Amino acid sequence: MLSFLKPAQRFVKGAAVGLTAFALTACDPSTLNTGQRISTSAPVPVALLVPAGSSNAGDAQLAQSLENAAKLAIADLGDVQIDLRVYPTAGDPNTAQASAVKAVNEGAKIILGPVFGEAANAAAKAVANSNVNVLSFSNNTTIAGGNLFVLGPTFENTANRMVAFAKTNGKSNIMTVYSQNSSGQLGNQSIATAINAQGAQNAGSVGYEFSQEGVIAAVSQIKLTADQNGADVLFLTSNTSGALPLVTQLLPEAGLSPATIQYMGLTRWDIPSQTVELPGVQGGWFAMPDPVLTQQFQSRYAQAYGGLPHPIGGLAYDGIAAIGALVKAGKTDALTTGALTQGAGFQGVNGIFRLRADGTNERGLAVASIRDKKVVIIDPAPTRFGGAGL
């Protein structure tokens, strides 16, 4: 039997960076600020808040990657001038709050970052009365709203893409299997919302305690629910560092084989690369950014800085790219909420994206499958949005 991280307390990171603070309160929409006006004849002061100074060893590399990506984006803007000012947060909400206030006092017209949800929430609230918008690198939608936007890929966006693809391909009776922790519960909610929004059928959901024993105990109920409700898709919220290896081993053994029911993932099944070797994920579907654009960014970053960017480093590039595109239009309202949420969106290093008025985002994703231990794109990422932003 395959084993994954046994103690439940080790599953605290969720599916992606920034999903650890679900109890946070979003900025009050009733105090929605329009954002700073800018001078079209001077460099635009942009503050970048990164987790430098953190006691977590990995945060230093993340901080440097974000700064590098932002500078790479600035170099690509041509005539648009950005005055980038970098501030450390130490991955701490109090430090993030102080850095945000300092940045605004020193002239910042917009803030990029921080990464972690609690820090982003603190920073945005600290500068809300100063009419400054914050484009955080978090993917925690519970903090979004008001002057705070999240740039990170969200469960809601992935769920909508996958449910729509499944329905288009004749798989519309979707059952969810999720972990009973914060990220798993958020994933379950996102999938349920997507099923309703896309007009598919909800074949129920089964949760499991976030431990190896919890997965084993839930297998029989998962099988029973799938059979009773005639599910033709199993939508799994877990990732490789969590329960995915064990779930995809035990379910086929219980009679829910990928050969008879479609497996679908809410997280990336190609990260880490060893995941594609798992027998249980063969034939499964998951969403990912445009791999061609991702590879181009990684190559350019490596050429400039001598190594690969952090997995979320590209978000800093996206933030600068969006700001630059708006500033290039030569309007003083380039950094206002109305401009940031334009329906056409922006081109990022991983594909198209747009910000929504509720502080969340929509990203153009490809749908991939794993075949013979290789990732195969079965539906390319869109290159433009078909309608106005929500």
Side-chain angles (χ1 to χ4, degrees), residues 300-390:
R300 291 187 58 229
Y301 185 99
Q303 207 169 30
Y305 300 109
L308 291 176
H310 187 279
I312 70 166
L315 296 180
Y317 188 107
D318 287 357
I320 293 293
I323 293 169
L326 294 171
V327 172
K328 190 172 185 178
K331 296 181 179 181
T332 61
D333 66 351
L335 305 184
T336 64
T337 299
L340 289 168
T341 57
Q342 63 173 15
F346 309 97
Q347 179 66 52
V349 291
N350 295 311
I352 56 170
F353 70 98
R354 61 183 172 187
L355 300 172
R356 292 175 164 172
D358 64 359
T360 63
N361 70 74
E362 182 179 357
R363 289 181 172 274
L365 299 172
V367 176
S369 182
I370 299 176
R371 297 174 180 171
D372 299 323
K373 303 180 181 180
K374 295 180 180 179
V375 175
V376 178
I377 300 299
I378 55 178
D379 194 39
T383 56
R384 64 193 306 176
F385 290 110
L390 299 179

Side-chain angles (χ1 to χ4, degrees), residues 188-210:
N188 182 44
Q189 294 166 10
S190 300
I191 292 169
T193 300
I195 289 172
N196 182 61
Q198 300 297 332
Q201 287 77 49
N202 194 327
S205 62
V206 176
Y208 52 85
E209 180 189 338
F210 210 26

Side-chain angles (χ1 to χ4, degrees), residues 144-329:
N147 66 326
L148 177 56
F149 296 85
V150 294
L151 287 173
T154 68
F155 281 163
E156 290 88 342
N157 190 59
T158 300
N160 272 302
R161 175 68 164 111
M162 296 306 301
V163 171
F165 177 78
K167 188 182 177 187
T168 299
N169 286 272
K171 306 283 186 179
S172 60
N173 202 23
I174 300 170
M175 176 183 163
T176 308
V177 176
Y178 69 98
S179 54
Q180 293 172 334
N181 65 351
S182 296
S183 60
Q185 289 165 351
L186 181 62
N188 182 44
Q189 294 166 10
S190 300
I191 292 169
T193 300
I195 289 172
N196 182 61
Q198 300 297 332
Q201 287 77 49
N202 194 327
S205 62
V206 176
Y208 52 85
E209 180 189 338
F210 210 26
S211 65
Q212 180 169 295
E213 294 76 14
V215 173
I216 295 171
V219 168
S220 60
Q221 184 60 50
I222 295 171
K223 175 68 163 62
L224 178 63
T225 302
D227 290 345
Q228 287 180 337
N229 296 339
D232 54 18
V233 175
L234 283 183
F235 208 155
L236 311 177
T237 68
S238 56
N239 61 6
T240 306
S241 64
L244 183 64
L246 189 60
V247 169
T248 56
Q249 176 191 324
L250 296 183
L251 292 184
E253 292 175 359
L256 284 176
S257 167
T260 57
I261 188 169
Q262 181 65 52
Y263 284 15
M264 200 157 72
L266 191 60
T267 63
R268 294 277 298 269
W269 285 7
D270 61 325
I271 299 175
S273 58
Q274 304 94 294
T275 306
V276 301
E277 305 282 336
L278 298 172
V281 303
Q282 304 305 309
W285 297 341
F286 65 97
M288 65 185 299
D290 186 317
V292 174
L293 293 178
T294 300
Q295 179 59 47
Q296 289 176 353
F297 170 62
Q298 290 176 339
S299 296
R300 291 187 58 229
Y301 185 99
Q303 207 169 30
Y305 300 109
L308 291 176
H310 187 279
I312 70 166
L315 296 180
Y317 188 107
D318 287 357
I320 293 293
I323 293 169
L326 294 171
V327 172
K328 190 172 185 178

